[in-house]
Amino acid sequence: MSSAVDGADTGALTTDPTTDLHEAGPELVQLLTPEGERVDHARFTFGAGLSAEEEAERIRGFYRDMALVRRLDVEATALQRHGELGLWAQLLGQEAAQIGAGRALRPQDFVFPTYREHGVAWCRGVDPVELLGLFRGVDQGAWDPKANNFGLYTIVIGAQTLHAVGYAMGVQRDGHVGTGDPERDTAVVAHFGDGASSQGDVNEAFVFAASYNAPVVFFCQNNQWAISEPIERQTRIPLYQRAKGFGFPGVRVDGNDVLATHAVMEAALQRARDGQGPTFVEAYTYRMGAHTTTDDPTRYRLSDELEQWKLKDPIERVKAYLTRNGLVDQAFLAEVDEEAEALGRRLREGCHALPDPHVLDVFDQVYAEQTEELAEQKAGYAAYLDTFEPEAAR
Amino acid sequence: MTTMTLAKALNAGLRRAMEDDPKVLVMGEDVGKLGGVFRITDGLQKDFGEERVIDSPLAESGIVGTAVGLAMRGYRPVVEIQFDGFVYPAYDQIVSQVAKLHFRSGGKIPMPMVIRIPFGGGIGAVEHHSESPEAQFAHTPGLKVVACSNPVDGYWMIQQAVASDDPVVFLEPKRQYHADKAEVDEDAVPDPLHVSRVVRAGEHATLLAYGPTVKVCYAAATAAAEEGKELEVIDLRTLSPLDMAPVYDSVSRTGRAVVVHEAHVNLGLGAELAARVTERCFYSLQAPVLRVGGFDTPYPPARVEEEWLPDLDRVLDAVDRTLAY
């Protein structure tokens, strides 16, 4: 086709017509169908080297993890509804993506989360009660990132992807890449979402990671919605294909398939640890809940869409697989339910018991080396508070 | 003792910091083979290798953002922003991440990072190469901000900034890089980083300056002395936190103060200094605190920058006005 204006051949400038954002197609790595059937994939396998019993044990573990973090999410949402939390960012529907990614980690690996990675935090051993502090307004992330190699939640979209690449550059300088020692070689995971893929920081993170061949895995949970904006507003090609432009592999995995996510992440993490550089993993999933508890998805998406995705529920398919193959009994399922109830209770009680900070505490953590002027401000405010009656002064 | 320009002093200071601590890294655009556009990192990559002196992709947010990760991994990155006007792409990483991580983590994530910024004008540059963004960073809790004005301070302050466990925005007056030489005693015991210093004693009025305007104020004081007016000049050195004790002491004696900076006057450091001096020296003041600085316009084309920047005459004009009260 020619331009009518000057006769230039604009037909030479076409985009690849095969780039359907939602066409799952052969590129989607899937090992467990929504119906709970195991399927093979040419490049990725789950459970290589495991005995049948070991494999079943792992999948039962995934089921338990996913059921418990879903309960954690439901409980935190309820706590927000009861006024105990100011806000909660729900993970409903993204359990497989997070548990698959989280369980592929080794202890020495380091994770940089967004604010929705409650499932990954669970895998890392972060006390779930500590996740509530930020949302209750008693702290801004109280867990020790070094204790579980799990960074603080990051609210500014995409900022943490650069931190992950920098951390990975540090790992390289420490000589913790490509030694062949499975307890030494270290990978770093940068979590982000489909909305964040538009951020400059994320694209800069890709450039830096590629340039330095950093041991980092970019794990993008494409949950189709950035608050109210559909994926079409962020991209015109499937996100995993962007990796090619930056010079590293990109993979699209069924993010509602815990086995596939685990298998792909295991490979990507090992590739990083081996010194082969970054990988982009797009976990194709769906945010079944709201963006956060302040959001109302009925204003911008059809309930039909949600109903369609409910059929692909990440937990139900594992349960169907385990049940159909006689790998679990009712006692196991009941036990997980009881555990979930206990976790819910622990979250409620833990949330209520979180101590409020004292306003004077805020002055002390601004700097590693306190400044005189801030110490003076604190002393001045303390003296002012002392002029009130004790109960009012708090 | 070695005679050095500010550029050489910063280079020598960085070199010594890298020798003292293997965790110190230098990163930025063109800092490696080229030695930086101002040659401040000249020779460092040759001597410390590409793993420690890192040429970065051309992306300021990426430079600062990856430095955050390196700091979390236990490194002490010293990042170079090539010019003041190029720091803004990194503004979010500096203000929302670097400045806040220690606070947000309850002290568990220190940010021992230095962000070096050549600042100020007077080199005949094209736009975005002559700005003074210090107030933006001094206004941000969690950052420390310092400005050196001479080779001796350059040599010591850069080492102290690197040794600080807090993030330091380190401002270097680019016009001074290759201007004056001074004797640097590498065995001296330096003043602490966050102290201001009287560089010329006087009794009639106090001039408060930092970075490039220290030299301007010193020249103004020398000229005023010929007319019998003795001006005290204070090199603030530290902009956040401010070290007000020497300022209060001086203004209590002189009763008059003029703040001089290249940055726009509106809501600049001078406004904060004037407010603090007024609060603490109210009964000593003989005149309101005056400010001389860049006008509230974008930095002008180079052909008029010398008229736009505070110079000796504009400083003396302000001195005359304060003495007239």
Side-chain angles (χ1 to χ4, degrees):
Chain A
M1 188 181 296
S2 297
S3 160
V5 180
D6 58 8
D9 182 10
T10 56
L13 301 171
T14 57
T15 49
D16 181 345
T18 65
T19 51
D20 185 322
L21 292 185
H22 297 288
E23 181 53 53
E27 286 301 310
L28 184 79
V29 180
Q30 190 180 68
L31 299 174
L32 186 68
T33 67
E35 295 74 32
E37 303 286 347
R38 294 282 290 269
V39 287
D40 288 331
H41 188 273
R43 288 182 293 149
F44 297 96
T45 36
F46 174 77
L50 298 180
S51 70
E53 183 42 37
E54 284 167 338
E55 190 192 271
E57 186 60 33
R58 281 219 103 153
I59 300 174
R60 281 193 293 268
F62 291 161
Y63 172 78
R64 174 179 170 273
D65 284 335
M66 292 194 291
L68 292 181
V69 299
R70 178 166 288 185
R71 182 49 200 258
L72 184 166
D73 192 61
V74 166
E75 196 61 45
T77 303
L79 283 165
Q80 192 279 335
R81 298 294 183 229
H82 291 148
E84 298 293 340
L85 301 180
L87 183 78
W88 180 251
Q90 296 157 303
L91 66 72
L92 185 68
Q94 297 175 229
E95 295 88 351
Q98 296 195 12
I99 298 302
R103 288 297 177 208
L105 295 162
R106 295 219 182 111
Q108 71 269 26
D109 296 335
F110 201 101
V111 174
F112 285 83
T114 71
Y115 43 78
R116 205 188 294 281
E117 266 65 69
H118 319 310
V120 186
W122 170 263
C123 296
R124 291 265 86 181
V126 176
D127 181 348
V129 175
E130 289 198 310
L131 300 176
L132 303 180
L134 172 72
F135 298 99
R136 188 170 167 83
V138 301
D139 59 53
Q140 294 174 332
W143 59 91
D144 182 354
K146 293 192 195 82
N148 304 97
N149 281 6
F150 185 78
L152 292 188
Y153 278 178
T154 302
I155 308 273
V156 177
I157 302 300
Q160 74 283 356
T161 57
L162 282 168
H163 307 166
V165 175
Y167 191 93
M169 289 164 64
V171 167
Q172 286 176 308
R173 280 156 181 77
D174 291 340
H176 287 207
V177 180
T179 68
D181 178 349
E183 287 174 17
R184 178 184 172 96
D185 291 343
T186 300
V188 184
V189 181
H191 284 271
F192 61 108
D194 43 295
S197 71
S198 298
Q199 285 281 359
D201 274 4
V202 173
N203 288 274
E204 291 186 24
F206 293 164
V207 169
F208 276 63
S211 178
Y212 299 121
N213 206 38
V216 63
V217 177
F218 295 105
F219 187 74
C220 176
Q221 289 168 72
N222 174 1
N223 68 14
Q224 314 300 327
W225 291 94
I227 307 189
S228 69
E229 297 193 353
I231 184 68
E232 287 82 0
R233 186 60 61 225
Q234 317 296 339
T235 185
R236 290 303 170 109
I237 60 165
L239 286 174
Y240 75 94
Q241 292 182 13
R242 287 197 183 167
K244 188 178 180 190
F246 290 93
F248 49 86
V251 187
R252 176 182 272 187
V253 61
D254 181 350
N256 284 18
D257 174 355
V258 69
L259 304 187
T261 306
H262 187 273
V264 168
M265 278 303 277
E266 230 178 22
L269 289 163
Q270 194 53 42
R271 187 170 178 278
R273 293 185 204 109
D274 288 346
Q276 296 176 60
T279 305
F280 182 168
V281 176
E282 177 191 0
Y284 193 81
T285 180
Y286 191 74
R287 193 194 77 207
M288 290 169 75
H291 163 67
T292 67
T293 45
T294 61
D295 180 31
D296 175 12
T298 63
R299 293 177 69 97
Y300 53 80
R301 69 185 187 192
L302 298 171
S303 57
D304 263 11
E305 184 180 286
L306 178 60
E307 293 308 314
Q308 285 302 309
W309 277 92
K310 277 183 181 167
L311 301 174
K312 303 179 199 172
D313 187 281
I315 302 182
E316 287 307 316
R317 71 174 78 178
V318 174
K319 191 177 181 181
Y321 168 76
L322 288 170
T323 311
R324 190 177 308 127
N325 291 282
L327 300 172
V328 288
D329 52 21
Q330 282 309 310
F332 172 83
L333 298 173
E335 195 183 309
V336 171
D337 286 347
E338 276 171 39
E339 232 183 313
E341 282 309 304
L343 176 63
R345 269 197 307 280
R346 190 159 83 74
L347 276 169
R348 278 196 299 282
E349 290 163 8
C351 181
H352 296 145
L354 281 171
D356 273 344
H358 193 287
V359 66
L360 292 177
D361 297 340
V362 306
F363 293 90
D364 297 327
Q365 303 295 350
V366 182
Y367 296 105
E369 296 157 29
Q370 177 66 310
T371 66
E372 268 179 51
E373 55 188 40
L374 209 44
E376 263 178 45
Q377 267 188 19
K378 180 185 179 181
Y381 192 38
Y384 166 80
L385 292 177
D386 282 345
T387 64
F388 291 83
E389 294 296 321
E391 66 272 19
R394 293 187 72 233
Chain B
M1 294 282 245
T2 312
T3 305
M4 301 181 199
T5 58
L6 175 61
K8 290 283 183 205
L10 288 164
N11 180 270
L14 280 172
R15 174 176 295 278
R16 188 157 163 188
M18 295 190 79
E19 285 165 356
D20 287 351
D21 184 350
K23 292 292 190 185
V24 176
L25 307 175
V26 166
M27 61 189 295
E29 297 156 8
D30 307 300
V31 298
K33 275 202 179 103
L34 183 68
V37 294
F38 290 107
R39 309 291 183 265
I40 306 303
T41 56
D42 189 31
L44 297 180
Q45 190 182 68
K46 179 170 155 283
D47 294 339
F48 295 100
E50 291 182 15
E51 291 295 296
R52 293 189 64 194
V53 181
I54 307 165
D55 268 331
S56 74
L58 212 164
E60 287 77 13
S61 189
I63 294 168
V64 176
T66 53
V68 168
L70 282 159
M72 286 181 69
R73 182 73 188 181
Y75 287 87
R76 303 182 86 86
V78 181
V79 309
E80 177 173 302
I81 301 295
Q82 200 159 68
F83 283 90
D84 35 59
F86 303 160
V87 71
Y88 302 111
Y91 194 68
D92 172 68
Q93 285 289 342
I94 296 173
V95 168
S96 294
Q97 308 297 328
V98 174
K100 289 182 182 146
L101 271 163
H102 187 273
F103 182 78
R104 293 179 54 227
S105 65
K108 295 183 200 77
I109 308 180
M111 271 292 121
M113 182 190 307
V114 179
I115 300 169
R116 292 184 39 243
I117 308 176
F119 85 126
I123 64 162
V126 296
E127 58 181 344
H128 312 299
H129 289 70
S130 304
E131 301 182 0
S132 298
E134 60 270 22
Q136 325 238 16
F137 301 113
H139 189 66
T140 302
L143 300 176
K144 290 179 175 174
V145 183
V146 301
C148 59
S149 68
N150 62 79
V152 176
D153 278 353
Y155 179 74
W156 291 114
M157 286 171 73
I158 190 64
Q159 293 180 61
Q160 292 165 325
V162 172
S164 168
D165 284 332
D166 288 309
V168 178
V169 174
F170 193 92
L171 299 163
E172 303 167 2
K174 67 173 82 76
R175 182 171 24 164
Q176 291 298 320
Y177 272 146
H178 307 287
D180 306 310
K181 290 185 176 174
E183 292 273 305
V184 177
D185 177 0
E186 294 97 333
D187 300 319
V189 179
D191 282 339
L193 181 61
H194 295 292
V195 301
S196 299
R197 188 193 292 139
V198 175
V199 294
R200 191 182 202 287
E203 56 186 324
H204 297 122
T206 304
L207 301 180
L208 302 174
Y210 55 87
T213 57
V214 174
K215 186 177 177 182
V216 174
C217 286
Y218 197 89
T222 305
E226 290 169 16
E227 299 174 8
K229 290 176 271 191
E230 294 297 337
L231 307 180
E232 186 142 299
V233 180
I234 295 183
D235 181 352
L236 292 170
R237 298 168 84 249
T238 177
L239 309 185
S240 181
L242 286 163
D243 177 27
M244 293 304 292
V247 177
Y248 297 147
D249 174 66
S250 176
V251 179
S252 298
R253 284 184 285 103
T254 63
R256 293 174 165 85
V258 177
V259 190
V260 185
H261 52 54
E262 290 192 8
H264 317 291
V265 165
N266 185 39
L267 295 171
L269 259 288
E272 179 64 23
L273 287 158
R276 292 201 198 188
V277 166
T278 306
E279 281 177 27
R280 288 287 291 269
C281 306
F282 188 69
Y283 291 108
S284 308
L285 283 173
Q286 304 292 320
V289 179
L290 297 183
R291 291 170 288 164
V292 180
F295 298 100
D296 295 321
T297 72
Y299 197 86
R303 290 298 179 99
V304 294
E305 69 179 333
E306 293 300 342
E307 291 159 87
W308 187 90
L309 288 168
D311 63 2
L312 183 146
D313 289 330
R314 281 178 60 208
V315 172
L316 290 178
D317 172 68
V319 168
D320 287 346
R321 283 188 283 127
T322 187
L323 289 172
Y325 272 90

